[in-house]
Amino acid sequence: MIRRHLPFAAVAVVALVAAPLLLEPFRLGLLAKYLCYAIVALGIGLAWGKGGMLTLGQGVFFGLGGYSMAMYLKLTEAEGGLPDFMVWSGVEELPALWVPFANPVFAMSMAVLGPVILAVVLGTLVFRQRVRGAYFAILTQALAAAMVILLVGQQGLTGGTNGMTNFFELFGQDLAEDSTQRGLYLVVAGVLGVLYLGTRQLVNSRYGRLLVAVRDGEDRVRFLGYDPALVKTVTFAASAGMAGLAGALFVPVVGIISPALLGVVPSLELVVAVAVGGRHVLAGAVLGAVVMGYAKTAFSEQFADGWLYLQGALFILVMTLASKGIAGVAQTVAGRLRSARAT
């Protein structure tokens, strides 16, 4: 049992101790951003890899969490007045929707509860009608597109196309300070570690085995007396909560939230990242998000005109040579090493 947790412990030590010491503040901020995406990927790995629910709209839940945190930060900086973008848009009075978000506890709670509630409502309506497979994927993708349209059309309420930016302070700490960004990185890395261990424990529990059974034979599970709709709804809500929490952490780390970050394309990129890492292994989903995030940055820096082609080539290469992703390759190599050692 101890040996199984050694790789995780080693990675955790490197992430928490070595990265802040070895990386300059800008690169450390990029790594924190990748880890925010990794939290979303962990939820996708749970819903898709273990539950068979291909969700193409995680950007919606990510955006709900991000906008909840952004609203709190904007109200803190306004000090009782109106946020800057509302002034530019001609808004004269703070909208009633914004008022509760001046409370940090409410804002952070809604960053998680908002996505969870939406996922429970959507899951209850969809899974009770036995919608699954490609139909469920298309439905979540349409939800992401509708969310973008809604946000863009509410200029005075959400900042429209530009979204919200210019965040300067979080709980009295200057977000421009290197020490603050280093602290945010440690928080993000710690949250990811806790969520990974919790999700892994969930997958290895009786509920996790039931979830896999629903994925592989939903009708058989129903005949055994279980409610597959309830099982899938709980998992879908858990993945949505992770995405919302990731969005709330993303805002102070990166300093912006906009519709461009939560539409159809970003949601698809996260699914691609999970596929590259290995959707059937939770660690693979996390690794895929970090690898694809780093590849996107590296390719865009070196090949400004053609980095999208290189990113697509990376996805095709991994899927062609290793259909189970990077984690699948690692499992194969580890299995062969164990066989050779036994021989």
Side-chain angles (χ1 to χ4, degrees), residues 101-304:
F101 287 90
N103 186 316
V105 175
F106 179 85
M108 294 179 187
S109 298
M110 288 305 299
V112 178
L113 292 179
V116 168
I117 293 172
L118 177 59
V120 168
V121 173
L122 181 64
T124 302
L125 295 175
V126 171
F127 297 135
R128 291 293 177 189
Q129 300 298 321
R130 302 186 185 182
V131 176
R132 51 190 174 187
Y135 299 102
F136 175 74
I138 293 173
L139 180 62
T140 56
Q141 188 178 45
L143 180 64
M147 184 71 171
V148 171
I149 295 173
L150 177 64
L151 292 173
V152 171
Q154 300 295 322
Q155 175 70 36
L157 191 65
T158 64
T161 304
N162 297 325
M164 301 183 204
T165 185
N166 296 327
F167 307 114
F168 303 106
E169 187 178 292
L170 175 64
F171 302 138
Q173 302 297 315
D174 187 358
L175 288 174
E177 291 290 334
D178 294 342
S179 59
T180 304
Q181 289 299 316
R182 190 177 298 111
L184 284 172
Y185 166 79
L186 294 175
V187 170
V188 173
V191 169
L192 174 59
V194 171
L195 288 177
Y196 172 78
L197 291 177
T199 306
R200 183 171 177 175
Q201 184 66 30
L202 178 66
V203 168
N204 292 331
S205 67
R206 183 186 177 194
Y207 174 84
R209 293 191 292 272
L210 179 60
L211 178 63
V212 173
V214 170
R215 179 196 68 188
D216 296 338
E218 181 174 332
D219 293 332
R220 293 183 179 182
V221 172
R222 183 178 294 105
F223 293 149
L224 291 174
Y226 294 99
D227 186 358
L230 178 60
V231 175
K232 295 167 74 172
T233 299
V234 170
T235 303
F236 186 46
S239 69
M242 293 183 198
L245 181 57
L249 295 171
F250 179 89
V251 169
V253 168
V254 180
I256 187 174
I257 187 69
S258 69
L261 296 171
L262 51 104
V264 174
V265 173
S267 298
L268 289 174
E269 287 180 345
L270 287 168
V271 172
V272 169
V274 173
V276 168
R279 68 185 179 96
H280 295 294
V281 181
L282 296 177
V286 173
L287 177 62
V290 176
V291 168
M292 291 299 288
Y294 174 78
K296 184 176 181 178
T297 300
F299 290 156
S300 61
E301 289 177 346
Q302 300 297 325
F303 308 98

Side-chain angles (χ1 to χ4, degrees), residues 47-105:
W48 182 30
K50 301 301 181 180
M53 294 171 283
L54 177 55
T55 170
L56 302 180
Q58 290 299 97
V60 173
F61 309 120
F62 181 84
L64 288 175
Y67 272 91
S68 295
M69 175 60 77
M71 291 164 74
Y72 164 70
L73 295 178
K74 277 298 182 185
L75 290 175
T76 301
E77 294 164 6
E79 297 181 348
L82 293 176
D84 49 10
F85 72 89
M86 288 188 182
V87 176
W88 304 334
S89 302
V91 178
E92 298 180 355
E93 185 179 355
L94 186 68
L97 177 64
W98 275 68
V99 174
F101 287 90
N103 186 316
V105 175

